[in-house]
Amino acid sequence: MKYDFSFIALGGVGEIGSNCYLMDFGDECFLIDLGLSFCDNLYPGVSASVPDIYSLKEVKNKLKGIIITHGHDDHIGGIPYFIHQLNVPIYTSSFAGELIRSKISEAVGKSVENIILIKGKICEQKIGNRIFTFFKTHHSIPESYGFYTKIKGGEIVFTSDFKRFNIELLPKNPLLLFVDATNAGITEDITEGEVRSTIDRIIKNTKGVFVTATFSTNLFRIKSLINLIKKNGRKLFVTGRSVTTSLEIAKKLGLIKDLDIVDWEKINRYQRNEVAIIASGTQGEKFSSLKQMSVGKFKGFCLQEGDSVVISSRMIPGNEKNIYHMINQFISRDIDVYYVDIAKTHSTGHGTQKELKKLLGGIRARYIVPIHGEARHLKNLKELAVNTGYDKENILIIDRGTKILIKGKEVTTVKQESIKKFFIDFHDNSLITEELARQRRKIGEEGVCYGVVTYKPYPRLKLECYGFDMSNEVAEIITKEIRNYISLIDNGITESDKENMKQIVKTIIKKCYNRKPLIILGEGVESD
């Protein structure tokens, strides 16, 4: 059967981050966002993951464009890793476009020309043969957009991330609504005014250096922080590549003015109570400025007792361990730290139940698809929609790889093969497969057993173990079994023989140590 529309999530559902969706209209398809998700604690030597967009043949055969809803890393961070293969236009806002150019230039040294800008509160854009209507939303980054487009059965509305927007800009009674579920479990949030008052009070009460970090693209918050720093008579210093880049782009686009940043080299010339620092590193990223400050001297400057640190952001799920470790490092040095658990230092950029009820009740979509969230967030949105009068059968909870199919006004879901991910090696920023990432974790948890087998002039086995100790008794058992196996071989060791011998080693180690190390078996050089 030929469908009018199909949709598949390559990321962004069942997880926070890696937002990437494919919309297929039959003869042409479009990628919606291409983000990454941070995963420092998931696999050794890995900083983030990105969706494997080439696991879908539609991307190779009929992709007409990439729609980027806004410039957060969980929506644009994957683009540099696929830019060589994606020879299609990117449709996005000025701010997101500049961020994308910066990331691509930094990653691959390549300039990007095929970025087509979306402007205004609402605008129509033809992409391929299809008309998309973009509407501006309020989010924790400038120039964030949602969109809608029409198929035979009605309109498809995609909100992307939002805190609020004018729902009068949307069509009433659309067929399908994809909606941000991040804060569907939160009744209401603190206001930006409360955040300003909290941070203002902290600056006033800080006897030494004042340090703060927020998401580098949250220009609304950064401008508020700069104004508070000026108000309290402190000199502004900025450190961290991401926040520096955002400020440079904002200044270029006229989104921020009167930016008076003092050169870092001069920081030690001022009294400590005259200094204020805006840094990157809200999530405790390993090489970020804030993380480096937490462990000691940073770029010739060191925090000490009497200084204060404000983390003006939420904790992205999965990053809590890194963040609390960084907080504890500051506290162990008698530096005061303020964060969302103990102070009103952050106001969310996502709609809470109040805004979501207004949206769901205001446009009355036929079908609802929660996106942008872990399973608990998606379920919270479903419960909220049911309480707003929707039939639970019309609220579709999907995971990565589930395909939504539409014919006329009928919507069905089909489970596809699992969508794979690539992982980013933080040593050289290259992509590695899930299989390699799992190998790293297995090596870290189970260890490695390396063996060299010699066939002639007589069977021999040399074993070395890393990550666990092997007793002489167990080594002798393995050696005996391998020698017995080799004695039955007539024409040299084949690859099949190596696999059989690896299985012998695995079985004995599992029985003796209840562990499954990575087994590497090589063939030694024969000697006379």
Side-chain angles (χ1 to χ4, degrees):
M1 180 187 296
K2 187 176 181 181
Y3 292 92
D4 302 326
F5 171 83
S6 71
F7 173 94
I8 190 165
L10 289 84
V13 291
E15 63 182 339
I16 295 293
S18 289
N19 293 282
C20 185
Y21 313 93
L22 184 74
M23 290 188 173
D24 189 340
F25 296 88
D27 56 348
E28 53 188 8
C29 68
F30 308 88
L31 270 182
I32 316 302
D33 294 328
L34 182 47
L36 56 72
S37 57
F38 296 106
C39 52
D40 284 348
N41 298 318
L42 188 59
Y43 296 110
V46 163
S47 60
S49 66
V50 294
D52 176 9
I53 63 173
Y54 290 113
S55 55
L56 296 177
K57 64 181 184 299
E58 294 93 332
V59 174
K60 299 176 183 177
N61 299 334
K62 53 184 180 179
L63 184 66
K64 300 300 180 184
I66 304 171
I67 295 171
I68 299 297
T69 59
H70 62 283
H72 279 150
D73 269 350
D74 60 334
H75 294 257
I76 69 170
I79 294 175
Y81 301 96
F82 299 102
I83 194 63
H84 287 302
Q85 297 89 354
L86 293 173
N87 190 27
V88 294
I90 297 172
Y91 297 82
T92 193
S93 67
S94 299
F95 189 65
E98 290 296 326
L99 288 169
I100 291 168
R101 285 191 176 95
S102 175
K103 286 181 179 295
I104 292 172
S105 175
E106 180 184 331
V108 297
K110 179 179 178 180
S111 61
V112 185
E113 304 300 331
N114 60 344
I115 294 180
I116 298 171
L117 298 182
I118 301 165
K119 297 180 179 180
K121 290 184 178 180
I122 189 164
C123 72
E124 287 189 351
Q125 178 70 55
K126 187 175 183 181
I127 309 177
N129 295 312
R130 175 157 295 276
I131 299 295
F132 291 85
T133 302
F134 292 89
F135 54 90
K136 207 165 193 177
T137 66
H138 292 272
H139 185 40
S140 54
I141 188 172
E143 301 176 348
S144 178
Y145 283 91
F147 64 86
Y148 60 87
T149 189
K150 188 174 177 61
I151 61 172
K152 289 179 183 178
E155 286 87 6
I156 308 291
V157 179
F158 189 92
T159 70
S160 190
D161 300 10
F162 74 95
K163 184 162 188 173
R164 63 184 182 278
F165 60 88
N166 182 5
I167 64 170
E168 298 300 320
L169 299 175
L170 300 187
K172 295 294 188 289
N173 309 118
L175 176 63
L176 189 62
L177 171 65
F178 295 94
V179 61
D180 175 8
T182 307
N183 279 346
I186 298 176
T187 307
E188 61 179 321
D189 188 36
I190 63 173
T191 66
E192 283 292 335
E194 290 176 297
V195 173
R196 280 193 299 272
S197 296
T198 298
I199 296 176
D200 188 22
R201 185 169 59 253
I202 294 169
I203 297 174
K204 282 182 168 63
N205 293 335
T206 298
K207 296 177 180 179
V209 175
F210 170 75
V211 180
T212 185
T214 189
F215 292 124
S216 62
T217 52
N218 191 344
L219 287 187
F220 311 112
R221 184 73 49 76
I222 289 175
K223 285 196 280 189
S224 177
L225 290 168
I226 290 171
N227 289 335
L228 290 173
I229 288 166
K230 284 183 179 178
K231 174 187 171 185
N232 284 278
R234 290 179 179 252
K235 301 295 182 181
L236 172 63
F237 295 83
V238 174
T239 181
R241 184 176 58 203
S242 60
V243 69
T244 301
T245 299
S246 289
L247 286 173
E248 288 172 350
I249 291 172
K251 192 172 181 180
K252 175 182 175 180
L253 298 176
L255 298 172
I256 194 167
K257 299 175 182 177
D258 302 323
L259 193 57
D260 187 13
I261 300 174
V262 183
D263 183 32
W264 186 271
E265 302 294 323
K266 300 178 181 178
I267 196 167
N268 288 308
R269 299 180 188 179
Y270 293 91
Q271 297 295 319
R272 299 189 72 82
N273 63 2
E274 296 179 298
V275 172
I277 300 170
I278 297 179
S280 62
T282 64
Q283 303 303 299
E285 299 96 321
K286 188 172 183 178
F287 300 111
S288 68
S289 297
L290 197 63
K291 174 65 176 178
Q292 297 303 308
M293 287 183 195
S294 73
V295 298
K297 202 166 190 178
F298 171 76
K299 293 167 68 173
F301 186 75
C302 191
L303 297 182
Q304 61 188 38
E305 184 178 357
D307 299 336
S308 295
V309 173
V310 170
I311 302 174
S312 185
S313 68
R314 72 187 182 108
M315 297 186 188
I316 296 174
N319 293 341
E320 295 91 344
K321 182 178 179 180
N322 289 343
I323 296 169
Y324 284 124
H325 180 66
M326 178 176 69
I327 289 169
N328 286 329
Q329 285 179 309
F330 279 123
I331 292 173
S332 68
R333 295 166 51 212
D334 293 319
I335 297 164
D336 295 326
V337 187
Y338 303 87
Y339 50 101
V340 288
D341 289 359
I342 63 171
K344 294 179 178 180
T345 62
H346 179 63
S347 176
T348 180
H350 298 269
T352 58
Q353 290 181 1
K354 180 180 177 181
E355 290 81 18
L356 290 168
K357 285 179 180 178
K358 184 179 177 182
L359 170 64
L360 296 173
I363 69 170
R364 304 304 305 181
R366 181 164 181 168
Y367 292 93
I368 301 289
V369 182
I371 56 171
H372 199 284
E374 297 175 341
R376 58 196 173 100
H377 303 115
L378 308 184
K379 183 181 179 183
N380 288 337
L381 195 284
K382 181 173 184 176
E383 292 174 350
L384 185 66
V386 169
N387 293 336
T388 312
Y390 285 82
D391 293 333
K392 64 180 181 180
E393 293 80 12
N394 287 10
I395 304 160
L396 310 177
I397 302 294
I398 61 173
D399 55 17
R400 281 192 303 135
T402 300
K403 182 172 278 192
I404 297 173
L405 302 167
I406 298 180
K407 180 71 174 177
K409 291 184 179 292
E410 295 305 312
V411 177
T412 57
T413 59
V414 178
K415 178 63 179 175
Q416 296 284 96
E417 71 278 1
S418 61
I419 302 297
K420 295 181 179 180
K421 289 186 174 186
F422 287 116
F423 292 86
I424 301 171
D425 188 310
F426 68 58
H427 297 287
D428 61 2
N429 214 34
S430 62
L431 292 184
I432 63 172
T433 63
E434 253 182 296
E435 182 182 358
L436 282 176
R438 288 197 186 100
Q439 279 185 9
R440 289 185 179 187
R441 185 166 66 185
K442 183 173 183 177
I443 290 169
E445 293 175 351
E446 304 285 354
V448 179
C449 181
Y450 176 70
V452 177
V453 178
T454 305
Y455 177 54
K456 291 181 179 180
Y458 54 87
R460 287 183 296 172
L461 173 66
K462 182 180 179 181
L463 288 175
E464 292 183 11
C465 296
Y466 303 89
F468 72 103
D469 290 324
M470 179 182 289
S471 68
N472 292 333
E473 291 80 7
V474 173
E476 288 173 4
I477 294 171
I478 293 173
T479 301
K480 180 179 178 181
E481 291 296 320
I482 295 297
R483 282 176 175 171
N484 289 339
Y485 183 91
I486 294 173
S487 67
L488 302 175
I489 298 173
D490 294 326
N491 299 313
I493 298 172
T494 66
E495 289 302 316
S496 176
D497 290 324
K498 288 181 183 178
E499 289 303 314
N500 291 338
M501 287 187 283
K502 283 169 68 173
Q503 191 57 51
I504 291 171
V505 177
K506 282 182 184 179
T507 301
I508 295 172
I509 291 176
K510 178 68 171 68
K511 181 180 179 181
C512 295
Y513 296 110
N514 195 31
R515 65 168 59 241
K516 298 178 181 180
L518 179 69
I519 308 295
I520 303 172
L521 210 57
E523 188 174 356
V525 178
E526 298 177 5
S527 58
D528 294 330

